[in-house]
Amino acid sequence: MAHIAFPQWAKTITASTGRTYSYVHIRLGKTTQPTLLFLHGFPSSSYDWRHQIEYFSNCAQGREYNILAPDLLGYGGTDKPSSPSEYRAKTMCHELIEVMDREGVERVHAVGHDMGCGVLSRLADYYPQRLASCTFLTVPYACPGEQFDLQAVNAMTKQFLGFERFGYIDFFIGKESGRVIDDHIESFFSLFYNSGIWKENLAPVGAIESWLKADKRAPLPPFITEEEKATHCKILHGHYDAAVNWYRALVANVNTDDEVQAKLEPKLDMPVLVITERPSALSIPGFVEQMKTVAEDVRFEQVATEGHWVQLEARDEVNAMLEKFFN
């Protein structure tokens, strides 16, 4: 959470909805300087943006970016509702806008990773005037108003890839998933941050549950230190049931009615950057083509690594790509 990872920059706000958010706020330049908004995914917190926060707040290198990095709902120091129905994107986006308003930020360059790309997608739909640009890391823009059918998606990916790509979601939406992850947090961390072993141990239906209940361990990836792992576990331990509510909300399609009623159109008018990892056995074709249908001003970059955690594993490449784009 922000208060553990970045105590000198951590703040909290209670939104008009009554929910409290924890976030990192760094104002090194004037209010007219660009502000970067970082939106993390699962299973994460603002801490997973540590390399970007350090890089873009480095005045010694002439960088004076203002930074906002919230712990999203269910994570870190932010409130953790127990009901999946509380994780509606429309409400969460409104709360993020309140964070921006609190800090006097009119527009941001928003960067999302993993499930954070879903939040970014809806921010761009509900509040396009507040975004100077959008950057999607590893996961594309999600079109509004579409129903998510987990069984159909897994059947389709099994046909194309030879295995269910999102079988782990079947485990996450289960009643006991949060408790099982908490009971085997080191096993879970070693699996989730080693995307090189996902094809066999995460993606297929039933694979992650077998991994956790056997308390298997994979080696620590070279881009994460023991100290960083300990900090991550300190932030997340005991709170995974709230975190997996994002997946329960996804499968329950809690956002569809809001998006249909708002008549949201799948269109990004602001400049868009898409950063992907190198193709691997987990890659799903059509990523580039999908983004071209919703954004006219879209640029594509690819890092040299194959892993999902590009902001950690390929930090230098990602930071350079972001800086070039922002400039």
Side-chain angles (χ1 to χ4, degrees):
M1 69 179 71
H3 286 79
I4 289 177
F6 310 101
Q8 70 275 40
W9 297 317
K11 293 187 175 183
T12 58
I13 180 177
T14 300
S16 59
T17 56
R19 305 198 297 206
T20 296
Y21 273 71
S22 170
Y23 61 98
V24 174
H25 179 232
I26 304 174
R27 178 174 289 161
L28 296 176
K30 301 175 183 178
T31 55
T32 54
Q33 292 292 104
T35 296
L36 313 182
L37 174 66
F38 292 106
L39 303 169
H40 67 81
F42 176 93
S44 191
S45 70
S46 56
Y47 183 57
D48 268 11
W49 296 112
R50 53 192 176 275
H51 302 302
Q52 287 66 50
I53 291 171
E54 178 183 3
Y55 182 86
F56 286 103
S57 63
N58 191 337
C59 289
Q61 295 297 320
R63 301 184 188 94
E64 289 190 344
Y65 292 91
N66 301 319
I67 292 172
L68 282 173
D71 294 329
L72 295 178
L73 194 69
Y75 293 96
T78 294
D79 280 357
K80 302 170 183 63
S82 59
S83 171
S85 64
E86 294 288 324
Y87 292 76
R88 291 168 57 201
K90 181 178 181 180
T91 306
M92 292 189 288
C93 288
H94 174 76
E95 290 162 341
L96 292 173
I97 293 298
E98 288 197 35
V99 173
M100 289 173 57
D101 290 343
R102 157 84 172 269
E103 300 301 343
V105 176
E106 182 59 31
R107 299 176 80 211
V108 294
H109 293 284
V111 183
H113 175 252
D114 188 74
M115 296 288 277
C117 290
V119 181
L120 175 55
S121 300
R122 294 295 80 81
L123 263 180
D125 292 335
Y126 285 117
Y127 301 97
Q129 72 280 7
R130 305 299 295 269
L131 301 185
S133 72
C134 293
T135 298
F136 296 86
L137 303 186
T138 73
V139 174
Y141 169 84
C143 291
E146 294 185 347
Q147 290 278 334
F148 180 78
D149 185 330
L150 178 59
Q151 290 186 337
V153 169
N154 275 329
M156 178 189 69
T157 55
K158 187 167 186 178
Q159 179 182 354
F160 282 100
L161 301 177
F163 57 92
E164 300 100 345
R165 176 63 178 81
F166 303 101
Y168 59 91
I169 298 180
D170 195 60
F171 167 68
F172 285 159
I173 63 177
K175 201 171 182 181
E176 297 298 315
S177 60
R179 180 191 59 77
V180 173
I181 295 171
D182 279 323
D183 288 347
H184 302 277
I185 187 169
E186 295 229 0
S187 173
F188 177 75
F189 182 92
S190 75
L191 171 61
F192 231 82
Y193 280 83
N194 273 285
S195 48
I197 60 173
W198 284 5
K199 179 182 176 181
E200 297 80 14
N201 300 294
L202 178 72
V205 171
I208 183 174
E209 188 170 10
S210 297
W211 174 280
L212 294 176
K213 290 186 175 178
D215 204 37
K216 293 182 180 179
R217 310 288 174 94
L220 192 67
F223 55 88
I224 294 178
T225 66
E226 286 287 351
E227 182 180 0
E228 288 173 328
K229 182 188 80 170
T231 300
H232 173 100
C233 292
K234 183 178 181 181
I235 293 170
L236 272 294
H237 190 241
H239 304 300
Y240 275 104
D241 195 58
V244 294
N245 270 332
W246 284 72
Y247 290 98
R248 293 167 180 152
L250 172 68
V251 174
N253 290 291
V254 302
N255 294 302
T256 306
D257 288 346
D258 285 340
E259 293 161 10
V260 170
Q261 290 171 12
K263 299 180 179 180
L264 299 181
E265 296 292 334
K267 185 179 180 182
L268 299 172
D269 291 324
M270 67 291 293
V272 176
L273 174 64
V274 180
I275 300 178
T276 60
E277 66 273 43
R278 286 175 53 205
S280 71
L282 296 165
S283 301
I284 299 175
F287 194 119
V288 172
E289 291 73 15
Q290 175 184 345
M291 293 301 300
K292 285 182 176 179
T293 64
V294 297
E296 291 186 8
D297 183 0
V298 57
R299 307 158 208 194
F300 299 92
E301 298 281 1
Q302 187 178 99
V303 299
T305 57
E306 292 184 0
H308 176 72
W309 301 96
V310 293
Q311 77 273 40
L312 301 175
E313 184 175 7
R315 66 194 71 165
D316 294 337
E317 288 183 89
V318 168
N319 291 343
M321 291 169 182
L322 289 174
E323 187 171 25
K324 180 181 177 182
F325 178 60
F326 299 148
N327 289 337

